[in-house]
CSV table of all heavy atoms in Angstrom, one decimal:
chain,number,residue,atom,x,y,z
A,76,SER,N,24.0,85.7,4.7
A,76,SER,CA,23.9,86.3,6.1
A,76,SER,C,23.7,85.1,7.1
A,76,SER,O,23.9,85.3,8.3
A,76,SER,CB,22.7,87.2,6.2
A,76,SER,OG,21.6,86.8,5.6
A,77,ALA,N,23.2,83.9,6.6
A,77,ALA,CA,23.2,82.7,7.5
A,77,ALA,C,24.5,82.3,8.0
A,77,ALA,O,24.5,81.5,8.9
A,77,ALA,CB,22.5,81.6,6.6
A,78,LEU,N,25.6,82.7,7.4
A,78,LEU,CA,26.9,82.5,8.0
A,78,LEU,C,27.2,83.1,9.2
A,78,LEU,O,28.2,82.9,9.9
A,78,LEU,CB,28.0,82.7,7.0
A,78,LEU,CG,27.9,82.0,5.5
A,78,LEU,CD1,28.9,82.5,4.6
A,78,LEU,CD2,28.0,80.5,5.8
A,79,THR,N,26.4,84.2,9.5
A,79,THR,CA,26.5,84.9,10.8
A,79,THR,C,25.3,84.8,11.6
A,79,THR,O,24.2,85.2,11.2
A,79,THR,CB,26.7,86.5,10.4
A,79,THR,OG1,27.8,86.6,9.5
A,79,THR,CG2,27.1,87.3,11.7
A,80,PRO,N,25.4,84.3,12.8
A,80,PRO,CA,24.2,84.0,13.7
A,80,PRO,C,23.5,85.3,14.0
A,80,PRO,O,24.1,86.3,14.1
A,80,PRO,CB,24.8,83.4,14.9
A,80,PRO,CG,26.1,82.7,14.4
A,80,PRO,CD,26.6,83.7,13.4
A,81,GLY,N,22.3,85.3,14.0
A,81,GLY,CA,21.4,86.3,14.5
A,81,GLY,C,21.1,87.4,13.5
A,81,GLY,O,20.3,88.4,13.7
A,82,GLU,N,21.3,87.0,12.2
A,82,GLU,CA,20.9,87.9,11.0
A,82,GLU,C,19.7,87.6,10.4
A,82,GLU,O,19.1,86.5,10.6
A,82,GLU,CB,22.1,87.9,9.9
A,82,GLU,CG,23.4,88.3,10.4
A,82,GLU,CD,23.4,89.9,10.7
A,82,GLU,OE1,22.7,90.6,9.9
A,82,GLU,OE2,24.2,90.3,11.5
A,83,SER,N,19.1,88.5,9.7
A,83,SER,CA,17.9,88.2,8.9
A,83,SER,C,18.3,88.3,7.4
A,83,SER,O,19.3,88.9,7.1
A,83,SER,CB,16.8,89.1,9.1
A,83,SER,OG,17.1,90.5,9.0
A,84,TYR,N,17.4,87.8,6.5
A,84,TYR,CA,17.7,87.9,5.0
A,84,TYR,C,17.7,89.3,4.5
A,84,TYR,O,18.4,89.6,3.5
A,84,TYR,CB,16.7,87.0,4.2
A,84,TYR,CG,17.0,85.6,4.6
A,84,TYR,CD1,16.0,84.7,5.2
A,84,TYR,CD2,18.2,84.9,4.1
A,84,TYR,CE1,16.2,83.4,5.4
A,84,TYR,CE2,18.4,83.6,4.4
A,84,TYR,CZ,17.4,82.8,5.0
A,84,TYR,OH,17.6,81.5,5.2
A,85,ASN,N,16.7,90.2,5.0
A,85,ASN,CA,16.7,91.7,4.6
A,85,ASN,C,16.2,91.8,3.1
A,85,ASN,O,16.1,93.1,2.7
A,85,ASN,CB,18.0,92.3,4.8
A,85,ASN,CG,18.5,92.3,6.3
A,85,ASN,OD1,17.6,92.6,7.1
A,85,ASN,ND2,19.6,92.1,6.5
A,86,VAL,N,15.8,90.8,2.4
A,86,VAL,CA,15.5,90.9,1.1
A,86,VAL,C,14.4,89.8,0.8
A,86,VAL,O,14.4,88.8,1.4
A,86,VAL,CB,16.6,90.9,0.0
A,86,VAL,CG1,17.6,92.0,0.1
A,86,VAL,CG2,17.2,89.5,0.1
A,87,TYR,N,13.7,90.0,-0.4
A,87,TYR,CA,12.9,88.9,-0.8
A,87,TYR,C,13.7,88.1,-1.8
A,87,TYR,O,14.4,88.6,-2.6
A,87,TYR,CB,11.6,89.4,-1.5
A,87,TYR,CG,10.6,90.1,-0.6
A,87,TYR,CD1,10.6,91.5,-0.5
A,87,TYR,CD2,9.7,89.3,0.0
A,87,TYR,CE1,9.7,92.2,0.4
A,87,TYR,CE2,8.7,90.1,0.8
A,87,TYR,CZ,8.7,91.3,1.0
A,87,TYR,OH,7.7,92.1,1.7
A,88,GLY,N,13.5,86.8,-1.8
A,88,GLY,CA,14.0,85.9,-2.8
A,88,GLY,C,13.0,85.2,-3.6
A,88,GLY,O,12.2,84.4,-3.0
A,89,GLU,N,12.8,85.5,-4.8
A,89,GLU,CA,11.6,85.2,-5.5
A,89,GLU,C,12.0,84.2,-6.8
A,89,GLU,O,13.1,84.6,-7.6
A,89,GLU,CB,10.9,86.3,-6.3
A,89,GLU,CG,9.7,85.9,-7.2
A,89,GLU,CD,9.0,87.1,-7.8
A,89,GLU,OE1,9.7,87.8,-8.5
A,89,GLU,OE2,7.9,87.3,-7.6
A,90,ALA,N,11.5,83.1,-7.0
A,90,ALA,CA,11.8,82.2,-8.1
A,90,ALA,C,11.3,82.8,-9.3
A,90,ALA,O,10.1,83.2,-9.4
A,90,ALA,CB,11.2,80.9,-8.0
A,91,MET,N,12.2,83.0,-10.4
A,91,MET,CA,11.8,83.5,-11.7
A,91,MET,C,11.3,82.4,-12.6
A,91,MET,O,10.8,82.7,-13.6
A,91,MET,CB,13.0,84.3,-12.2
A,91,MET,CG,13.4,85.4,-11.6
A,91,MET,SD,14.9,86.3,-12.3
A,91,MET,CE,14.1,86.9,-13.8
A,92,ASP,N,11.6,81.2,-12.3
A,92,ASP,CA,11.1,80.0,-13.0
A,92,ASP,C,11.1,78.9,-12.0
A,92,ASP,O,11.2,79.0,-10.8
A,92,ASP,CB,11.8,79.7,-14.3
A,92,ASP,CG,13.5,79.8,-13.9
A,92,ASP,OD1,13.8,79.6,-12.9
A,92,ASP,OD2,14.2,79.8,-15.0
A,93,ASP,N,11.0,77.7,-12.5
A,93,ASP,CA,11.0,76.4,-11.6
A,93,ASP,C,12.4,76.5,-11.0
A,93,ASP,O,13.4,76.4,-11.7
A,93,ASP,CB,10.6,75.2,-12.3
A,93,ASP,CG,9.2,75.0,-12.7
A,93,ASP,OD1,8.4,75.9,-12.0
A,93,ASP,OD2,8.9,74.3,-13.5
A,94,VAL,N,12.5,76.4,-9.6
A,94,VAL,CA,13.8,76.6,-9.0
A,94,VAL,C,14.0,75.3,-8.0
A,94,VAL,O,13.0,74.9,-7.4
A,94,VAL,CB,13.9,77.8,-8.1
A,94,VAL,CG1,15.1,77.8,-7.2
A,94,VAL,CG2,14.0,79.0,-9.1
A,95,GLU,N,15.3,74.8,-8.1
A,95,GLU,CA,15.7,73.8,-7.1
A,95,GLU,C,16.9,74.4,-6.3
A,95,GLU,O,17.7,75.0,-7.1
A,95,GLU,CB,16.1,72.5,-7.7
A,95,GLU,CG,14.8,71.8,-8.3
A,95,GLU,CD,15.2,70.4,-8.8
A,95,GLU,OE1,16.6,70.1,-8.6
A,95,GLU,OE2,14.4,69.7,-9.3
A,96,ALA,N,16.9,74.3,-5.0
A,96,ALA,CA,18.1,74.7,-4.3
A,96,ALA,C,18.3,73.9,-3.1
A,96,ALA,O,17.5,73.3,-2.4
A,96,ALA,CB,17.7,76.3,-3.7
A,97,LEU,N,19.7,73.7,-2.8
A,97,LEU,CA,20.1,72.8,-1.8
A,97,LEU,C,20.0,73.8,-0.5
A,97,LEU,O,20.6,74.9,-0.5
A,97,LEU,CB,21.5,72.5,-1.9
A,97,LEU,CG,22.2,71.6,-0.8
A,97,LEU,CD1,21.3,70.3,-0.6
A,97,LEU,CD2,23.6,71.3,-1.1
A,98,MET,N,19.4,73.4,0.5
A,98,MET,CA,19.3,74.3,1.7
A,98,MET,C,20.1,73.6,2.9
A,98,MET,O,20.0,72.5,3.2
A,98,MET,CB,17.8,74.2,2.2
A,98,MET,CG,16.8,74.6,1.1
A,98,MET,SD,15.1,74.3,1.5
A,98,MET,CE,14.8,75.3,2.9
A,99,LEU,N,21.1,74.5,3.4
A,99,LEU,CA,22.1,74.0,4.4
A,99,LEU,C,21.8,74.9,5.6
A,99,LEU,O,22.0,76.1,5.6
A,99,LEU,CB,23.5,74.2,3.8
A,99,LEU,CG,23.9,73.3,2.6
A,99,LEU,CD1,25.1,73.8,2.0
A,99,LEU,CD2,24.1,72.0,3.0
A,100,GLY,N,21.6,74.3,6.8
A,100,GLY,CA,21.4,75.0,8.0
A,100,GLY,C,22.7,75.3,8.6
A,100,GLY,O,23.7,74.8,8.2
A,101,GLN,N,22.7,76.2,9.5
A,101,GLN,CA,24.0,76.8,10.1
A,101,GLN,C,24.8,75.7,10.8
A,101,GLN,O,26.0,75.5,10.6
A,101,GLN,CB,23.6,77.8,11.1
A,101,GLN,CG,23.1,79.2,10.6
A,101,GLN,CD,22.7,80.2,11.6
A,101,GLN,OE1,22.4,79.8,12.7
A,101,GLN,NE2,22.8,81.4,11.1
A,102,ASP,N,24.1,74.7,11.6
A,102,ASP,CA,24.8,73.6,12.3
A,102,ASP,C,25.3,72.7,11.2
A,102,ASP,O,26.6,72.3,11.4
A,102,ASP,CB,23.8,72.9,13.2
A,102,ASP,CG,23.4,73.7,14.3
A,102,ASP,OD1,24.1,74.7,14.7
A,102,ASP,OD2,22.4,73.3,15.0
A,103,ALA,N,24.6,72.4,10.2
A,103,ALA,CA,25.2,71.5,9.1
A,103,ALA,C,26.3,72.1,8.5
A,103,ALA,O,27.3,71.5,8.1
A,103,ALA,CB,24.1,71.2,8.1
A,104,LEU,N,26.2,73.4,8.2
A,104,LEU,CA,27.4,74.1,7.5
A,104,LEU,C,28.6,74.1,8.4
A,104,LEU,O,29.7,73.9,7.9
A,104,LEU,CB,27.0,75.7,7.3
A,104,LEU,CG,26.4,75.9,5.9
A,104,LEU,CD1,25.9,77.3,5.9
A,104,LEU,CD2,27.4,75.7,4.8
A,105,SER,N,28.5,74.3,9.7
A,105,SER,CA,29.6,74.2,10.6
A,105,SER,C,30.3,72.9,10.6
A,105,SER,O,31.5,72.8,10.7
A,105,SER,CB,29.1,74.7,12.0
A,105,SER,OG,30.1,74.8,12.9
A,106,ARG,N,29.5,71.8,10.7
A,106,ARG,CA,30.0,70.5,10.7
A,106,ARG,C,30.7,70.2,9.3
A,106,ARG,O,31.8,69.6,9.4
A,106,ARG,CB,28.9,69.5,11.0
A,106,ARG,CG,28.3,69.5,12.4
A,106,ARG,CD,27.5,68.2,12.7
A,106,ARG,NE,26.3,68.3,11.8
A,106,ARG,CZ,25.2,68.8,12.0
A,106,ARG,NH1,24.9,69.5,13.1
A,106,ARG,NH2,24.2,68.6,11.1
A,107,LEU,N,30.1,70.6,8.3
A,107,LEU,CA,30.6,70.3,7.0
A,107,LEU,C,31.9,70.9,6.8
A,107,LEU,O,32.9,70.3,6.3
A,107,LEU,CB,29.6,70.9,5.9
A,107,LEU,CG,29.8,70.5,4.5
A,107,LEU,CD1,29.9,68.9,4.3
A,107,LEU,CD2,28.7,71.0,3.6
A,108,THR,N,32.1,72.2,7.1
A,108,THR,CA,33.3,73.0,6.9
A,108,THR,C,34.4,72.5,7.8
A,108,THR,O,35.6,72.6,7.5
A,108,THR,CB,33.1,74.5,7.0
A,108,THR,OG1,32.5,74.8,8.3
A,108,THR,CG2,32.4,75.1,5.9
A,109,GLY,N,34.0,72.0,9.0
A,109,GLY,CA,35.0,71.4,9.9
A,109,GLY,C,35.5,70.1,9.4
A,109,GLY,O,36.7,69.9,9.5
A,110,ALA,N,34.6,69.3,8.9
A,110,ALA,CA,35.1,68.0,8.3
A,110,ALA,C,35.7,68.1,6.9
A,110,ALA,O,36.6,67.2,6.6
A,110,ALA,CB,33.9,67.0,8.2
A,111,GLN,N,35.3,69.1,6.1
A,111,GLN,CA,35.8,69.2,4.7
A,111,GLN,C,36.3,70.8,4.5
A,111,GLN,O,35.5,71.6,4.1
A,111,GLN,CB,34.7,68.8,3.7
A,111,GLN,CG,34.4,67.5,3.6
A,111,GLN,CD,35.6,66.8,2.8
A,111,GLN,OE1,36.4,67.4,2.3
A,111,GLN,NE2,35.4,65.4,2.6
Side-chain angles (χ1 to χ4, degrees):
S76 48
L78 299 174
T79 305
E82 295 291 325
S83 57
Y84 290 113
N85 295 317
V86 295
Y87 291 94
E89 179 189 53
M91 293 181 66
D92 46 20
D93 292 338
V94 167
E95 290 185 3
L97 179 65
M98 304 167 65
L99 296 164
Q101 289 176 337
D102 291 342
L104 270 173
S105 180
R106 291 193 298 270
L107 189 59
T108 53
Q111 286 281 356

